[in-house]
Amino acid sequence: MSDYTPPKVWEPKESGGKFASINRPVAGSTHEKTLPVGKHPFQLYSLATPNGVKATVMLEELLALGKDAEYDAWLIKIGDGDQFGSGFVEVNPNSKIPALMDHSADKPIRVFESGSILLHLAEKFGAFVPTDPAKRVETMSWLFWQMGSAPYLGGGFGHFYAYAPEKIEYAIDRFTMEAKRQLDVLDRRLAESRYLGGDEYTIADIATWSWYGQLALGRLYEAAEFLDVESYENVQRWAKEIDARPAVQRGRMVNRTFGEPETQLHERHGASDFDTKTQDKIGD
Ligand SMILES: N[C@@H](CCC(=O)N[C@@H](CS)C(=O)NCC(=O)O)C(=O)O
């Protein structure tokens, strides 16, 4: 048991753990840095974490449909504090990836929060969001479910299971309980429906797959066995089906700085980059 008693007024201190160096109790920029702007209508500033993958999968899916969604994907190294540069903070005052500038409108517009990016692109191109009102609202419900639930999985379970400087049984138990409950919520929905919104693949699936699908496929926190992810059979079926989509495979590679070199495309500025600019081809 901890002998910590919170003081009357909290003061910041060194907390340890994997992300200690980027944690701050205040918002705003720490340094001046202009963001690069490429030639395409969409400028994405991101990293291939589950939240970042949502945006790159969506853009690749739109391109696969033949939509005019060409984009430049610039790498934001959150471990180095790039999210606190002045240019990034102008696009996302919350200093988190992914952040998007849409230059296709008369006046460029900023879009932050991965759910907002998915919805903006879906509405702009009339794709991956149903038009039928009942299916649309079901899709929105699952999209917002994901946005509200994932912090318990990432900031809660993932943080205490994989990243905290010590293994705190209470915290791991609390968030494992919640992560498993969420997997069960999904498993029951996917027992009755091919996709989350119904019979169509939508932004709700893209958002949720990036977290829970990748968790089920054993790609997050090395926690597959601990969470017994194989037992969620409907989640497994859905996760594998989405994983096989070529646009999903491409989207996972963009802004990726970990894993096998041939799976890492640090920056994407055109479709041919997947064939010529992966880390195995260009190195560092
Ligand atoms: N609710 C946000 C969460 C984004 C988020 O948490 N991004 C993380 C990476 S997955 C980040 O940029 N962290 C950097 C930091 O916290 O300083 C979204 O969905 O876009």
Side-chain angles (χ1 to χ4, degrees):
M1 287 298 250
S2 156
D3 55 6
Y4 173 66
T5 306
K8 274 210 169 66
V9 178
W10 182 82
E11 294 285 347
K13 58 178 180 296
E14 178 55 52
S15 61
K18 189 167 176 205
F19 297 107
S21 64
I22 57 168
N23 290 339
R24 301 190 303 149
V26 292
S29 63
T30 56
H31 57 283
E32 285 300 310
K33 181 130 196 258
T34 310
L35 288 176
V37 180
K39 61 177 195 275
H40 295 308
F42 297 99
Q43 299 296 307
L44 181 71
Y45 304 97
S46 196
L47 183 72
T49 67
N51 288 319
V53 159
K54 293 178 200 172
T56 48
V57 166
M58 179 66 173
L59 287 160
E60 291 297 330
E61 290 283 13
L62 289 167
L63 288 168
L65 271 191
K67 305 286 184 187
D68 186 14
E70 263 301 345
Y71 68 107
D72 292 278
W74 303 95
L75 185 62
I76 297 294
K77 293 184 181 161
I78 60 175
D80 294 352
D82 291 351
Q83 69 275 36
F84 304 119
S86 54
F88 190 89
V89 174
E90 278 167 29
V91 183
N92 183 358
N94 195 38
S95 284
K96 290 185 194 283
I97 65 89
L100 181 76
M101 283 300 298
D102 178 351
H103 291 261
S104 69
D106 290 345
K107 195 166 170 270
I109 43 179
R110 76 178 190 190
V111 198
F112 62 92
E113 283 292 320
S114 56
S116 179
I117 292 173
L118 289 176
L119 196 48
H120 175 71
L121 292 170
E123 286 185 332
K124 180 160 199 124
F125 291 106
F128 304 113
V129 61
T131 46
D132 169 80
K135 289 181 183 170
R136 187 179 170 86
V137 83
E138 185 72 12
T139 298
M140 293 305 156
S141 296
W142 286 106
L143 177 65
F144 281 82
W145 174 86
Q146 190 286 324
M147 294 302 294
S149 299
Y152 292 99
L153 177 58
F157 171 75
H159 181 81
F160 287 106
Y161 183 74
Y163 302 139
E166 53 184 308
K167 302 287 179 224
I168 303 168
E169 188 174 351
Y170 175 82
I172 292 174
D173 281 348
R174 174 178 160 81
F175 289 112
T176 300
M177 186 93 73
E178 176 62 4
K180 286 185 71 76
R181 192 192 66 80
Q182 292 177 356
L183 282 166
D184 196 34
V185 170
L186 285 177
D187 204 56
R188 289 168 193 244
R189 170 60 180 159
L190 293 166
E192 62 188 21
S193 181
R194 180 171 174 194
Y195 295 113
L196 290 171
D199 48 9
E200 272 177 65
Y201 170 69
T202 68
I203 51 175
D205 299 292
I206 294 175
T208 308
W209 181 87
S210 300
W211 278 101
Y212 298 89
Q214 298 211 89
L215 180 74
L217 296 172
R219 295 185 189 147
L220 295 188
Y221 315 123
E222 295 181 20
E225 193 179 354
F226 184 71
L227 294 174
D228 191 17
V229 293
E230 288 295 336
S231 64
Y232 302 95
E233 288 175 15
N234 304 296
V235 176
Q236 288 293 334
R237 184 256 310 148
W238 165 88
K240 285 176 188 152
E241 182 180 340
I242 295 174
D243 195 44
R245 296 176 71 91
V248 171
Q249 291 170 13
R250 284 195 300 278
R252 283 185 62 220
M253 293 169 67
V254 179
N255 296 148
R256 185 174 159 107
T257 55
F258 51 89
E260 297 303 314
E262 62 272 20
T263 69
Q264 295 185 32
L265 182 58
H266 286 192
E267 288 191 354
R268 179 213 183 275
H269 302 289
S272 64
D273 291 353
F274 291 101
D275 301 322
T276 56
K277 303 242 170 77
T278 48
Q279 282 305 106
D280 57 319
K281 307 234 165 76
I282 64 170
D284 246 339

